[in-house]
Amino acid sequence: MRIVIGQGSCGIAAGAEKVRKALLNVDVRCDISITGCIGMCYLEPIVDIYDDNNTLTRLVKVSETDAQAIADYVNNGDKSAVEKLIVTEEDSQFLTKQTRIALRNCGIINPEEITAYTATGGYDALKKALGMTPEEVIDIIKVSGLAGRGGAGFPTWFKWNAARQSAGEEKYLICNADEGDPGAFMDRAVIESDPHNLIEGMLIGAYAIGAKHAVVYVRAEYPLAIKRLKNAILQATEAGIIGENIFGSNFSCDFMIKAGAGAFVCGEETALIESLEGHRGMPRLKPPFPAQSGFWRKPSNINNVETFANVAWIINNGGEAFAAMGTEGSKGTKVFAVTGKVKRSGLVEIPMGKTLRDVIFDIGGGMKTDKPFKAVQMGGPSGGCIPADLIDTVIDYKALGATGAIMGSGGMVVMDESTCMVGMAKFFLDFTAKESCGKCIHCRIGTKRMLEMLERITNGDGKEGDIELLEELCYSEYEAHIHDKKCPAGECSALIEYTINADKCRGCTLCARNCPVGAITGTVKNPHVIDTDKCIKCGKCYSVCRFDAVVKA
Amino acid sequence: MENTINLSLLDGVLSEYAEVKGSLITILQHTQEIYGYLPKEAIELISEKTGIATSDIMGVGTFYTQFRFEPVGKYLIMLCQGTACHVNSSELILQTIQDELGIDDGQTTEDGLFSLKCVACLGCCSLSPVMMINEDTYGSLTPDKTKKILKELREAAL
Ligand SMILES: Cc1cc2nc3c(=O)[nH]c(=O)nc-3n(C[C@H](O)[C@H](O)[C@H](O)COP(=O)(O)O)c2cc1C
Ligand code: FES
């Protein structure tokens, strides 16, 4: 028999460490170890007991006073005293209804031992990738359809390829572990529970783009994640998996952790790079994209933690296996941090194509209060609230985007009728006003003025005309978005259109050769044309054109 | 609580990082770990050793919410005001702390025991509302539970 205690941050906060200490103080005749976040956060502290056939008995909401009862069960097989702690069938379904790829080891293996990871086949994918050419690796990622899990959902292979193609010897691979959206904790869970999976995904990415340096930028509020990742990097270095000539190949890569210092905007990739360089985290203008000029102005590629957490699985199982899950436009699985008024709050990983109802009601168990479901907030400050009548929306980048919210990084804050939506708007304005980096006037001043107004309204001092004024402050921009389908700031990629000015185009074919989706046609020395239906608005043509002929509007 | 700043405590950090480009934030983090905040004398020394102007150091220091320029109390309360905590009534917990300790966000009690800082998410959203006091996280807070925690800490400090 062996005992495994869930010790992610939330488990520890719920008292898991006290339980572990209590167990060490009674006479328990078996091995006691730890694991990361099981994902059933609403049942913490959780104690798993595996018998010699590896059959699991899961005890939930355990407290230190249960230690003796657990000892009696382990030592004498006396189940009576622990019976009341055993997880119910209904609660077990919280996990059995999930499909876990990024979280496959979370809550199962010991995150502080590299041998626990290698025993599951860990680092085999890296070995396999090193036997291929970088182009072959990128191709597998392309077939998988993996898209960035940090929010925007940009095809991962495309970014890798751009960084690979970018000229220069010195390149950087960066992991965005800033996890700035309040209500999101998927990335924390991955790092705390399976840090080697992140390292392996990053090393494969570094090999693919030709980077010799890997950097992880972790949010300062995650001390345990930083500690476990540091430990994992040390172990991997000792095992020859990080450093020179990895697994005897020509590939060498070092690793560095940088802790953030508490600024939401640093989750944006160019602001993150500024912060890595030791500056104020103010975003840079794009283009140039990081693939051309990133960390220390060298070609760099930035991906989110969850994006990397899928990579080793994809290399091991093939791109097709990943692409077999999901919808036409969104492949594989997605991890959500489900919180708020939901009954079963925790981590849910499901294939794309499921609905919000599946997550919130079928897996999440609906509301924990007796009030009806009102809305779910997705995508953090950059996202929106999806109301109850859209609960059957499919989890897919496009379908969620059409509701006005976004897929986002995976935070799902569930609200019942007791949450005020004006209060929610005020909450986010307060957040954005505080977190504005101050570079652009709309954000710096606009959020403040709107916040003042909402404060008045929520204080009962709302005046006739406030709605109109609120509208006016952002109206023209909203109007442009809605009526003209244009984003005046050129930010909302869904509303940008790239076209070619035939007078300026010399027919050099550079744009057509660089287009990742073959949306540009034309013959040499004749003006080219962009097929706007095919165009994915990556901006590549815009940045490569030497004659200013590509128009972004 | 007036004490002079022992700048030699910075020797290790500065010899490791002063010459490494891009390390300013890391240096400031270590400095804050040592003193609990960023003392003026330390900033001047960092400027001297790294060649970064004090105005630039202040620019970076004030940009990030992690950095403080005043000493904090023995117990630093980081109260989460993130979305999940907001939905689960973290406002009530803020109210309780304000009533119990008589301090607002960013302030320290007169006895130097408690400082309060509101933060945006501690990543323990499933236990919301949540606060962290020094290294320990407390979840599923209610006004009563909060009062009890504060009381216990105050007694422990006596
Ligand atoms: C204001 C802002 C905040 C962001 N915060 C995060 C974040 O906390 N974590 C993250 O992975 N991506 C964040 N992003 C997205 C990143 O800029 C970037 O697109 C992402 O890290 C790329 O990785 P991916 O392709 O794997 O998603 C943010 C973007 C913006 C505009
Ligand atoms: S919102 Fe409070 S811990 Fe995440």
Side-chain angles (χ1 to χ4, degrees):
Chain A
M1 279 215 181
R2 61 196 172 92
I3 293 180
V4 179
I5 304 169
Q7 293 223 352
S9 285
C10 39
I12 294 174
E17 180 58 14
K18 286 186 192 142
V19 171
R20 195 180 71 92
K21 287 201 174 124
L23 281 171
L24 292 176
N25 272 331
V26 293
D27 171 36
V28 187
R29 277 166 247 142
C30 78
D31 182 56
I32 300 176
S33 66
I34 63 156
T35 186
C37 181
I38 295 160
M40 304 169 108
C41 310
Y42 67 108
L43 295 175
E44 298 279 6
I46 299 176
V47 173
D48 285 345
I49 302 172
Y50 292 89
D51 70 12
D52 296 335
N53 301 320
N54 234 10
T55 310
L56 168 67
T57 307
R58 170 160 290 154
L59 309 182
V60 300
K61 295 197 175 174
V62 179
S63 90
E64 58 256 54
T65 52
D66 297 318
Q68 191 54 51
I70 295 173
D72 289 344
Y73 172 52
V74 169
N75 298 344
N76 319 319
D78 172 11
K79 224 176 186 171
S80 62
V82 295
E83 207 77 63
K84 64 174 198 315
L85 300 174
I86 294 176
V87 67
T88 64
E89 178 50 33
E90 212 192 338
D91 281 329
S92 306
Q93 288 181 2
F94 179 82
L95 285 184
T96 50
K97 284 180 178 162
Q98 302 190 28
T99 306
R100 289 192 156 188
I101 292 179
L103 301 181
R104 63 191 179 280
N105 295 321
C106 295
I108 298 172
I109 67 169
N110 184 337
E112 295 182 351
E113 302 289 348
I114 189 171
T115 46
Y117 183 65
T118 48
T120 67
Y123 291 113
D124 285 355
L126 175 61
K127 266 185 217 150
K128 191 170 166 188
L130 292 178
M132 301 183 223
T133 65
E135 288 76 12
E136 282 168 339
V137 174
I138 293 175
D139 218 50
I140 295 178
I141 300 298
K142 183 174 180 178
V143 170
S144 77
L146 177 64
R149 299 299 193 233
F154 203 79
T156 303
W157 78 270
F158 185 75
K159 290 187 6 180
W160 287 16
N161 194 44
R164 163 125 217 110
Q165 306 276 320
S166 207
E169 266 299 291
E170 203 180 333
K171 295 181 185 176
Y172 291 90
L173 183 96
I174 302 167
C175 173
N176 187 342
D178 197 45
E179 195 151 68
D181 290 353
F185 55 93
M186 308 75 51
D187 296 349
R188 171 182 69 70
V190 168
I191 303 176
E192 283 177 3
S193 313
D194 197 12
H196 287 286
N197 183 25
L198 173 63
I199 295 175
E200 185 171 18
M202 285 181 69
L203 286 169
I204 294 169
Y207 174 68
I209 72 166
K212 294 190 189 72
H213 313 284
V215 186
V216 190
Y217 185 90
V218 192
R219 169 180 186 79
E221 286 85 346
Y222 289 176
L224 183 65
I226 294 177
K227 183 176 143 222
R228 292 212 174 130
L229 186 59
K230 267 191 186 150
N231 173 58
I233 291 173
L234 212 66
Q235 290 177 342
T237 309
E238 275 165 9
I241 295 167
I242 290 173
E244 299 292 319
N245 303 105
I246 296 170
F247 288 134
S249 71
N250 291 329
F251 171 60
S252 304
C253 187
D254 56 33
F255 249 82
M256 179 171 85
I257 300 184
K258 280 257 186 174
F264 171 70
V265 69
C266 289
E268 195 280 331
E269 54 187 11
T270 58
L272 186 151
I273 290 172
E274 283 291 316
S275 182
L276 279 180
E277 294 179 3
H279 308 135
R280 293 163 73 97
M282 311 272 247
R284 294 176 182 170
L285 275 180
K286 292 190 274 192
F289 291 94
Q292 281 87 43
S293 171
F295 191 28
W296 303 126
R297 309 280 155 177
K298 304 286 185 210
S300 307
N301 175 70
I302 303 190
N303 281 120
N304 165 263
V305 174
E306 188 187 333
T307 311
F308 285 123
N310 285 302
V311 168
W313 189 95
I314 292 172
I315 297 295
N316 276 330
N317 296 275
E320 291 83 359
F322 193 78
M325 289 175 285
T327 62
E328 182 64 34
S330 308
K331 300 297 187 195
T333 59
K334 177 79 195 85
V335 183
F336 293 99
V338 188
T339 59
K341 297 289 188 191
V342 70
K343 192 185 277 170
R344 303 193 196 112
S345 119
L347 289 175
V348 176
E349 181 171 1
I350 36 128
M352 303 271 194
K354 295 270 188 186
T355 64
L356 293 175
R357 185 189 295 282
D358 290 332
V359 176
I360 297 167
F361 285 89
D362 189 30
I363 297 178
M367 301 305 99
K368 65 180 173 190
T369 59
D370 48 14
K371 299 208 171 66
F373 167 71
K374 186 172 190 175
V376 56
Q377 207 284 334
M378 287 184 73
S382 334
C385 295
I386 303 180
D389 57 346
L390 295 177
I391 183 77
D392 288 309
T393 305
V394 170
I395 292 168
D396 167 280
Y397 287 101
K398 263 212 172 120
L400 286 167
T403 67
I406 52 170
M407 172 87 75
S409 63
M412 267 197 197
V413 183
V414 178
M415 294 166 259
D416 67 9
E417 286 293 346
S418 66
T419 308
C420 165
M421 299 316 283
V422 184
M424 202 65 191
K426 186 182 82 168
F427 167 80
F428 274 111
L429 275 171
D430 182 55
F431 182 88
T432 38
K434 279 188 190 140
E435 292 292 342
S436 170
C437 81
K439 193 166 181 169
C440 311
I441 195 162
H442 305 71
C443 168
R444 187 178 68 234
I445 311 220
T447 51
K448 205 161 168 41
R449 290 290 101 85
M450 287 197 281
L451 176 62
E452 285 164 3
M453 237 182 281
L454 283 175
E455 269 169 351
R456 262 200 298 109
I457 296 175
T458 50
N459 282 334
D461 299 326
K463 293 189 299 230
E464 288 301 321
D466 274 350
I467 293 185
E468 289 73 14
L469 192 55
L470 268 178
E471 276 178 351
E472 197 185 311
L473 270 178
C474 41
Y475 191 64
S476 58
E477 201 162 350
Y478 275 102
E479 198 176 47
H481 279 77
I482 296 162
H483 296 148
D484 309 329
K485 297 281 177 255
K486 294 244 151 59
C487 172
E491 251 275 286
C492 305
S493 61
L495 298 172
I496 300 173
E497 209 167 288
Y498 288 95
T499 48
I500 292 176
N501 179 339
D503 293 338
K504 284 190 177 172
C505 177
R506 311 259 186 101
C508 74
T509 75
L510 189 62
C511 57
R513 280 182 283 132
N514 272 285
C515 178
V517 290
I520 305 181
T521 48
T523 50
V524 185
K525 301 221 165 112
N526 288 309
H528 281 45
V529 185
I530 301 178
D531 178 343
T532 46
D533 284 338
K534 272 194 189 168
C535 174
I536 57 167
K537 297 160 185 171
C538 68
K540 190 84 190 167
C541 51
Y542 183 78
S543 57
V544 297
C545 180
R546 286 181 300 219
F547 309 104
D548 262 344
V550 179
V551 185
K552 172 180 171 182
Chain B
M1 287 233 320
E2 201 56 33
N3 31 11
T4 42
I5 306 298
N6 178 0
L7 287 175
S8 66
L9 295 175
L10 280 177
D11 289 351
V13 179
L14 286 171
S15 63
E16 188 172 352
Y17 293 107
E19 309 274 310
V20 184
K21 65 173 180 173
S23 297
L24 177 59
I25 294 173
T26 311
I27 294 174
L28 295 181
Q29 284 168 334
H30 283 287
T31 307
Q32 184 156 296
E33 239 165 65
I34 295 171
Y35 303 105
Y37 70 110
L38 301 178
K40 187 162 154 267
E41 297 82 345
I43 292 174
E44 280 160 3
L45 181 68
I46 294 167
S47 168
E48 192 187 310
K49 297 285 177 183
T50 59
I52 302 172
T54 48
S55 56
D56 285 339
I57 298 180
M58 287 304 287
V60 170
T62 51
F63 183 86
Y64 296 97
T65 53
Q66 187 185 23
F67 298 118
R68 301 179 288 267
F69 300 90
E70 300 284 339
V72 283
K74 183 173 161 83
Y75 300 112
L76 174 61
I77 307 174
M78 293 207 278
L79 177 67
C80 180
Q81 300 280 34
T83 324
C85 290
H86 169 79
V87 168
N88 282 323
S89 310
S90 59
E91 196 59 36
L92 282 178
I93 310 303
L94 177 62
Q95 195 68 52
T96 307
I97 296 177
Q98 285 172 333
D99 290 349
E100 285 291 298
L101 302 178
I103 49 170
D104 256 331
D105 183 16
Q107 296 180 334
T108 302
T109 52
E110 255 167 49
D111 58 7
L113 220 46
F114 292 98
S115 297
L116 174 63
K117 188 171 155 69
C118 292
V119 298
C121 179
L122 294 166
C124 289
C125 323
S126 16
L127 301 174
S128 55
V130 180
M131 66 178 171
M132 212 167 156
I133 302 184
N134 297 348
E135 302 283 285
D136 296 319
T137 311
Y138 302 85
S140 312
L141 295 173
T142 58
D144 281 344
K145 194 167 166 187
T146 310
K147 279 184 208 160
K148 195 168 154 248
I149 295 166
L150 296 178
K151 186 163 165 257
E152 279 170 8
L153 288 176
R154 190 179 287 124
E155 277 162 10
L158 288 178

